[in-house]
Amino acid sequence: MPHLSIRIDFDPAGPDRQLGPGKIGLLEHIAETGSISAAGRAMGMSYRRAWLLIDSLNGCFREKVIETRHGGPQGGGAALTPFGQWLVEQFR
């Protein structure tokens, strides 16, 4: 079945400077799970691939889209920043 999706290219010469349904979906999964690795698994990708996508998103904007917590007794994690939440809302 056909569907329409939108992708925003911030720099036509740079494939890492794009925002589309895949990266937004990754952000939504991070918001749900609190984890980059769990979000990546939910989307069928490795932690490394998920991290590279988040890193490229953070490079597109002046503000970060997620904040991470390093491991410890409670373990690590990730959460959307207020800007990241706003970005998802505006895209949707």
Side-chain angles (χ1 to χ4, degrees):
M1 169 165 271
H3 70 279
L4 175 67
S5 64
I6 296 173
R7 183 183 76 201
I8 301 167
D9 294 322
F10 295 105
D11 180 2
D16 291 337
R17 297 186 50 86
Q18 300 170 339
L19 178 64
K23 288 179 182 173
I24 291 296
L26 181 61
L27 291 177
E28 290 171 331
H29 278 92
I30 290 170
E32 291 171 13
T33 64
S35 165
I36 296 171
S37 59
R41 279 192 305 273
M43 295 186 70
M45 68 177 75
S46 68
Y47 171 81
R48 177 172 166 70
R49 176 72 179 141
W51 176 252
L52 290 173
L53 291 172
I54 294 302
D55 192 45
S56 73
L57 270 177
N58 280 335
C60 288
F61 303 103
R62 290 187 182 124
E63 298 182 50
K64 292 189 179 218
V65 295
I66 68 158
E67 293 177 341
T68 58
R69 294 183 313 276
H70 294 288
Q74 315 307 357
L80 270 61
T81 62
F83 174 72
Q85 293 171 351
W86 177 87
L87 186 64
V88 169
E89 290 168 7
Q90 295 305 304
F91 187 87
R92 292 296 180 202

